[in-house]
Amino acid sequence: MAATLIDGKAIAREIREGLKARCAALAARGVTPGLAVVLVGEDAASQIYVRNKERACKATGIRSVAVRLPADTTQEALEDKIRALNDDATVDGILVQLPLPAGLDERRVLALIRPEKDVDGFHVQSMGALVTGAAGFLSCTPKGCLELIRRTGVPLAGKEAVVVGRSNIVGKPMALLLLRENATVTVCHSRTADLAAHTRRADILVAAVGRPGMITGDMIKPGAVVIDVGINRLEDGRVVGDVDFASAEPVAGFLTPVPGGVGPMTIAMLLENTLESAEKRA
Ligand code: NDP
């Protein structure tokens, strides 16, 4: 039987409708949530991502503060800008679009963002909160993936979860979130010996690598929940995930499409984190 597709676009739309209502309730109390999006340089993909985030903010009732800085911005000038946004009481969330141009120290910039405004969840304090179980913002993509898994109704406790990829923004926080949900978690990466032996055991499989179609149907346990985080643009312009959809669909129990799976959830979670920050301010 073909996998049930997890419609991230529809789920994100539903979540955003709920956020819109919460934003309106805040506005009635005189508070407009504000998200500052900092973009340094002219990277084409980053410009598209930033524009999409600004549009999503507007549609939800969140004020978006666009901070566009030239590619030759110095570390000092960027840090001054972050400090100013930290001190701006009308800004509830600060997002620095990555990657930064070469020569700028990403770690130092992210570390400057006040954790209460770290709606991307990349600050070491937010990551530490996830590790220790303390309160803090969860990074948006893994948070969105968890919500998609929850919506399948498949309980996570006691399940074998395998995450392929160990980046700080997706793989590692995803693994920690699944662990928090009492799954038994394996993290695979580029040095993993016999990747398929691990993925075939997975009741929940999350692919976050950036290699088109690398997870094929024969690597998937029949009936598994498969979450495809990958976004890969092929030479012919098509965008595909890390999971080979054609061979995975007949095997998986649930599967996210690309596009239309995890991507829309990432933005919805960013809006949700910003709104939560504003609600705390209110
Ligand atoms: P990174 O490049 O930072 O990390 C990729 C990970 O994949 C690394 O941990 C790497 O291992 C691992 N890897 C590479 N090759 C293999 C292999 N052959 N077998 C197993 N593991 C391998 O990528 P990101 O985590 O930032 O992103 C992953 C994908 O998700 C990308 O396609 C990106 O575009 C997409 N993405 C999508 C988002 C969305 O909203 N849908 C948001 C963020 C990312 P090692 O650590 O050993 O190098």
Side-chain angles (χ1 to χ4, degrees):
M1 214 172 73
T4 301
L5 293 189
I6 308 174
D7 188 346
K9 217 169 159 180
I11 295 170
R13 200 182 305 125
E14 186 193 317
I15 291 171
R16 283 169 60 169
E17 281 307 311
L19 297 178
K20 220 162 140 179
R22 274 164 66 186
C23 264
L26 262 190
R29 294 162 62 192
V31 175
T32 304
L35 173 67
V37 181
V38 181
L39 174 62
V40 187
E42 311 288 331
D43 181 74
S46 292
Q47 293 198 26
I48 294 172
Y49 294 145
V50 165
R51 221 174 301 134
N52 287 344
K53 286 167 188 168
E54 286 170 353
R55 235 179 262 148
C57 279
K58 200 166 170 213
T60 311
I62 294 175
R63 187 175 65 95
S64 132
V65 183
V67 181
R68 289 185 165 77
L69 300 170
D72 61 358
T73 299
T74 62
Q75 180 80 25
E76 198 185 4
L78 179 55
E79 291 185 7
D80 282 346
K81 190 70 221 174
I82 302 291
R83 282 191 200 94
L85 293 169
N86 275 338
D87 292 339
D88 184 339
T90 67
V91 169
D92 298 292
I94 303 171
L95 176 155
V96 177
Q97 186 64 43
L98 301 178
L100 289 172
L104 291 174
D105 186 336
E106 206 165 280
R107 269 178 211 267
R108 262 178 57 187
V109 172
L110 294 180
L112 260 188
I113 297 173
R114 216 173 267 160
E116 307 88 79
K117 299 192 178 192
D118 178 39
V119 289
D120 243 348
F122 294 164
H123 192 284
V124 284
Q125 188 170 314
S126 307
M127 293 287 274
L130 176 57
V131 174
T132 57
F137 284 116
L138 295 176
S139 62
C140 302
T141 300
K143 187 181 179 189
C145 291
L146 183 64
E147 182 60 27
L148 292 179
I149 297 168
R150 282 207 182 111
R151 300 264 177 149
T152 65
V154 172
L156 276 164
K159 292 287 165 59
E160 289 286 338
V162 174
V163 179
V164 189
R166 57 170 167 182
S167 71
N168 288 338
I169 63 167
V170 190
K172 279 183 204 153
M174 187 72 242
L176 288 163
L177 269 181
L178 290 164
L179 186 61
R180 201 178 74 174
E181 298 295 319
N182 299 314
T184 300
V185 183
T186 303
V187 184
C188 300
H189 45 80
S190 67
R191 310 288 183 87
T192 296
D194 200 353
L195 176 66
H198 294 285
T199 59
R200 275 192 207 113
R201 281 190 297 104
D203 301 305
I204 315 289
L205 177 60
V206 181
V209 176
R211 286 170 71 112
M214 72 169 291
I215 305 288
T216 46
D218 59 324
M219 297 168 75
I220 296 172
K221 180 176 176 179
V225 177
V226 180
I227 305 292
D228 189 354
V229 183
I231 300 178
N232 308 291
R233 189 171 288 279
L234 303 181
E235 275 179 10
D236 63 9
R238 274 185 308 137
V239 174
V240 299
D242 291 345
V243 177
D244 176 50
F245 192 87
S247 63
E249 197 194 13
V251 185
F254 295 89
L255 176 61
T256 60
V258 176
V262 174
M265 290 298 284
T266 297
I267 291 197
M269 296 301 114
L270 172 68
L271 301 172
E272 184 172 88
N273 283 351
T274 305
L275 185 56
E276 276 172 17
S277 176
E279 284 171 342
K280 279 192 197 123
R281 163 160 70 96

